[in-house]
Amino acid sequence: MTVHYDQQIADRDPSPEPRTPAPVPVSNTGEPRRPLPQRLWRGRPEDPRWARPAFLALLLATAVLYLYNLSTSGYANSFYSAAVQAGSQSWKALFFGSLDAANAITVDKPPAALWPMALSVRLFGLSSWAILVPEVLMGVGTVAVVYAAVRRRFSPAAGLIAGAVLALTPVAALMFRFNNPDAMLALLMAVACYFVIRALEDGRTKWLVWAGVAIGFAFLAKTLQAFLILPPLALVHAVCAPVSVKKRFGQLALATVALVASGGWWVAIVELWPASSRPYIGGSQNNSFLELTFGYNGLGRLNGDETGSVGGGGGNGGGNWGETGWDRLFSSGIGGQISWLIPAALILLVAGLVATRKARRTSVTRGSFLVWGGALITTMLVFSYMQGIFHEYYTVALAPYIAPLIGMGSVLLWDKRDKAWASLTLAAAMTATAAWGYVLLNRSSDYLPWLKWFVLVGGLTAALGLIFAGRLGRRLALGAAGLGLVAALAGPAAYTLTTVNEGHTGSIVTAGPAVAGGRGGPGGGGGFPGGGPNQQGQQGQQGQQGQQGQGQGQLPGNGFPGGGFPGGGQNQQGQNQQNGDGGRMRGGGGMGGLLNGASVGSEAKKLLETDAGQYTWAAAAIGAQNAASYQLSTGEPVMAIGGFNGTDPSPTLAQFKTYVEEGKIHYFIASGAGGGMGGNSDGSSSRITSWVEANFKKVTAGSATFYDLTQKASG
């Protein structure tokens, strides 16, 4: 029989003293452990027979869902794919997260998220699958961690609900099939919460230390975003852990040491490494990872003061990255990504805390609500009011916190459904979910128009049944609960299926269909700050025509200072086309954009590959996306002048001249008017462009224009 830990909380919670390890392997009931194959299939002895098969089926279904049509995204975000390719060719590039194997400049994040993908490419060769399958595995792992955390304190049913909610969250299905750092971040944040809950169970120091290690390693995936949940987790442990006050704070101190060690070792090496023999730190203005961490990737994201960025919020409650405020996560562009079950999660969080209000301090049931709820609310507040760069896909960080609250809260109230307050709260959560699901689906009027009515009518019908769940027979009550679960997940499941059925490329991607007032839609890849709906640019993946949208969006202030986008004039994205062999780019056009890569024609590819082995870099280009496209197409290192935005002061004009004089760079890829965003600390990109155009021979290959840096211009 399944043990429900929400019942008789005062008696069920563990004693303040840590448990003594048993001398022989035993199960939770004290019985000898079964052989490993049986444990894998049957799970715990106290579980019902269906629990472990259902859990394994959940993981298998998640894997199949996320693997389906995976290669249609090709190289996904070519910015990170180029770094993965470089890391597969050079161990130094792997360690630093360099954009090219010759180590000119790094990505604008620490490299931990790149390491699994680069190792995969080393093993299996460069392809879309080799890059993206590690991300899928992180998604499956996150579902498993959430299930395990919820199942320990509640029941297998609660764990399955939580896992299903996470797997069917649209933005989760997007990012666990994409090569941005957010997949690793979400996994490690879920792991950290799991370890904190384990520490609340038995007071063992090792669990909190492991939580610190998880957060420290998450810092190496996406810097300070990993620290958003530190305050609630530390506070919950300090108050609720079943050990003395002195030991609690000692454990927190040890966890802090573990965090600093696991996240700081790489930072220390980079900062101590001579700058002359390592790549430039992309995204920084002073070649410093610490500056990148606390500036562009840190405080700049909060206050909008992002030196070298495309512009933040300006400190007035809104700006280039959308209006800020409590309702930001429910807006047209973001709501369909993540907010389907946020109202229900908040209602169930409050209900869980009310239900455990009389429990003793060390109640792990209440502690679980505080851990997941604290992580959710803290992250929501930061996302709602941050004025710097903010993309819709950032909200995947919320998914591992929403799902457990749904699983825990719904099962806790279901077990208490004979009490009026519990059944009414369940009905309220269901009503909020149905109403909000209708609103979200109504924002895409042409998208499955019948579905919004099913969600609304089915959800309200289920809510009515839940009101009387304690009085109905078991079958009718389960029918109402089943209908409610289906209605609640129908909307996000539909968005998820749309997401996995389409390819997503570029720097800004969104899940689900295009919505009125949003920036994205299937295919992603071309939304701009402050832009209108479906500004994507035309893309074709794997030889097929992709989702269309003319990509006419302009950045605030008539684009970038100095004349247009890196790698092009006004929004010259080109048509990205990728063939079936893992996303090698082909077609016409030579210029890329800030957010999407270039389209590399066969003539341009052949030109760069000729005698490439004689040079350190086959070419140099303004902006990382532009350079990445040529690098992925040819397999040769291409220098990204100015990093992602084209605004980093690397290399300087003097350094670039030295490279050219030493014969290290063969071609310069023409970048249209102005050559990048301009406005960096010394105007390196613009100066380099002007010097090259004035001194070297122009070469045309197909529709692309290059400058041969080995041949002076005539006259």
Side-chain angles (χ1 to χ4, degrees):
M1 179 178 178
T2 301
V3 176
H4 294 279
Y5 285 91
D6 59 278
Q7 299 172 358
Q8 299 178 353
I9 294 169
D11 296 329
R12 280 302 192 187
D13 283 323
S15 65
E17 297 301 324
R19 295 177 298 187
T20 301
V24 294
V26 295
S27 68
N28 289 349
T29 60
E31 301 173 356
R33 287 189 181 275
R34 297 188 301 269
L36 180 61
Q38 292 186 30
R39 297 206 307 270
L40 290 176
W41 182 247
R42 285 294 310 277
R44 298 180 177 185
E46 67 269 22
D47 282 349
R49 296 181 64 88
W50 54 262
R52 184 52 61 94
F55 168 58
L56 297 175
L58 171 65
L59 296 187
L60 177 62
T62 303
V64 171
L65 176 66
Y66 288 177
L67 288 171
Y68 172 77
N69 207 28
L70 184 65
S71 60
T72 193
S73 293
Y75 289 139
N77 189 342
S78 57
F79 174 65
Y80 291 115
S81 289
V84 168
Q85 179 199 42
S88 71
Q89 297 172 343
S90 163
W91 289 109
K92 184 176 181 180
L94 176 72
F95 177 80
F96 286 106
S98 300
L99 279 163
D100 62 272
N103 293 288
I105 193 170
T106 71
V107 297
D108 56 3
K109 301 289 187 299
L114 302 174
W115 292 340
M117 293 183 283
L119 294 175
S120 173
V121 171
R122 275 185 178 268
L123 289 173
F124 304 108
L126 181 66
S127 69
S128 178
W129 274 69
I131 292 173
L132 299 180
V133 166
E135 307 298 283
V136 171
L137 295 179
M138 291 180 195
V140 176
T142 307
V143 170
V145 170
V146 166
Y147 170 88
V150 174
R151 184 258 169 271
R152 289 188 64 82
R153 278 291 113 186
F154 295 85
S155 69
L160 291 172
I161 292 172
V165 168
L166 174 58
L168 294 176
T169 301
V171 72
L174 172 70
M175 297 315 295
F176 287 129
R177 293 162 45 88
F178 205 71
N179 60 335
N180 279 22
D182 301 78
M184 177 175 282
L185 179 74
L187 170 60
L188 291 172
M189 294 296 93
V191 168
C193 292
Y194 170 82
F195 283 137
V196 170
I197 293 173
R198 292 298 301 269
L200 295 179
E201 288 180 3
D202 58 18
R204 292 185 182 180
T205 302
K206 69 174 184 179
W207 299 123
L208 205 63
V209 170
W210 278 117
V213 170
I215 294 176
F217 202 77
F219 171 83
L220 293 182
K222 210 173 179 188
T223 59
L224 295 184
Q225 186 176 337
F227 294 168
L228 293 184
I229 66 173
L230 274 178
L233 296 192
L235 182 61
V236 171
H237 184 81
V239 173
C240 301
V243 292
S244 66
V245 173
K246 181 179 179 180
K247 188 170 183 178
R248 276 177 256 161
F249 284 95
Q251 290 173 331
L252 289 171
L254 290 174
T256 302
V257 172
L259 184 156
V260 173
S262 60
W265 65 272
W266 184 87
V267 178
I269 293 175
V270 171
E271 289 297 306
L272 294 174
W273 198 295
S276 59
S277 65
R278 63 161 169 79
Y280 186 92
I281 303 301
S284 72
Q285 298 300 300
N286 297 311
N287 197 11
S288 168
F289 181 77
L290 292 178
E291 181 220 326
L292 172 68
T293 299
F294 294 103
Y296 176 71
N297 279 338
L299 297 178
R301 299 294 173 114
L302 298 179
N303 59 25
D305 183 14
E306 298 164 306
T307 303
S309 171
V310 294
N316 57 0
N320 301 342
W321 299 102
E323 292 294 324
T324 61
W326 68 268
D327 59 343
R328 186 184 206 178
L329 300 179
F330 302 91
S331 63
S332 296
I334 300 174
Q337 309 298 301
I338 190 65
S339 72
W340 300 87
L341 294 171
I342 286 181
L346 295 177
I347 292 173
L348 295 175
L349 170 61
V350 173
L353 296 178
V354 170
T356 58
R357 67 189 184 281
K358 295 182 180 180
R360 59 183 181 178
R361 175 185 62 82
T362 57
S363 168
V364 184
T365 303
R366 179 173 57 199
S368 298
F369 278 102
L370 291 173
V371 165
W372 298 112
L376 173 64
I377 291 175
T378 301
T379 308
M380 283 181 61
L381 287 174
V382 173
F383 283 176
S384 296
Y385 291 97
M386 60 185 287
Q387 296 179 353
I389 295 175
F390 182 79
H391 300 312
E392 292 92 333
Y393 65 78
Y394 288 1
T395 57
V396 69
L398 300 171
Y401 314 141
I402 295 171
L405 292 173
I406 297 296
M408 296 187 308
S410 58
V411 167
L412 184 148
L413 294 182
W414 176 258
D415 288 339
K416 299 178 180 295
R417 62 188 181 277
D418 56 331
K419 299 180 179 179
W421 72 268
S423 59
L424 288 174
T425 304
L426 268 179
M430 187 66 250
T431 300
T433 300
W436 183 239
Y438 175 87
V439 171
L440 291 174
L441 290 167
N442 197 48
R443 290 174 174 174
S444 302
S445 57
D446 296 330
Y447 179 74
L448 302 178
W450 58 268
L451 184 59
K452 61 185 178 184
W453 294 110
F454 169 77
V455 169
L456 181 62
V457 175
L460 293 180
T461 302
L464 181 62
L466 290 173
I467 293 177
F468 304 101
R471 303 176 186 177
L472 298 175
R474 180 174 177 80
R475 288 187 177 182
L476 287 177
L478 287 174
L483 175 61
L485 185 62
V486 171
L489 294 180
Y495 266 51
T496 293
L497 292 176
T498 296
T499 301
V500 302
N501 197 46
E502 308 289 356
H504 295 82
T505 61
S507 298
I508 300 180
V509 290
T510 54
V515 297
R519 293 207 303 255
F528 296 95
N534 202 21
Q535 297 167 329
Q536 299 178 60
Q538 291 180 322
Q539 300 169 350
Q541 290 97 13
Q542 305 297 330
Q544 300 176 1
Q545 288 296 326
Q547 295 67 45
Q548 296 185 1
Q550 294 300 314
Q552 300 294 327
Q554 296 287 327
L555 285 169
N558 297 318
F560 295 116
F565 296 94
Q570 295 180 354
N571 196 14
Q572 293 170 322
Q573 299 180 54
Q575 290 180 320
N576 293 340
Q577 293 180 322
Q578 301 166 339
N579 65 18
D581 105 327
R584 285 192 178 275
M585 297 186 179
R586 56 184 173 82
M591 292 182 292
L594 170 68
L595 302 175
N596 287 328
S599 175
V600 181
S602 58
E603 299 93 338
K605 181 175 180 291
K606 183 178 180 180
L607 178 70
L608 293 188
E609 289 176 338
T610 303
D611 299 327
Q614 300 179 19
Y615 301 89
T616 304
W617 293 278
I622 306 296
Q625 288 283 16
N626 201 19
S629 300
Y630 287 92
Q631 180 172 299
L632 290 167
S633 178
T634 64
E636 303 293 341
V638 176
M639 177 187 291
I641 298 173
F644 182 80
N645 297 322
T647 58
D648 299 344
S650 174
T652 64
L653 176 58
Q655 290 171 327
F656 189 81
K657 287 181 177 180
T658 300
Y659 292 144
V660 173
E661 292 170 359
E662 294 174 350
K664 292 185 175 181
I665 309 174
H666 196 177
Y667 291 102
F668 178 84
I669 302 171
S671 56
M677 284 176 57
N680 61 29
S681 62
D682 63 355
S684 296
S685 299
S686 297
R687 293 183 182 184
I688 290 171
T689 300
S690 299
W691 178 72
V692 168
E693 291 175 346
N695 291 281
F696 295 95
K697 181 180 179 180
K698 181 184 294 186
V699 178
T700 300
S703 59
T705 301
F706 303 87
Y707 289 88
D708 189 339
L709 301 181
T710 66
Q711 299 187 46
K712 292 287 186 178
S714 60

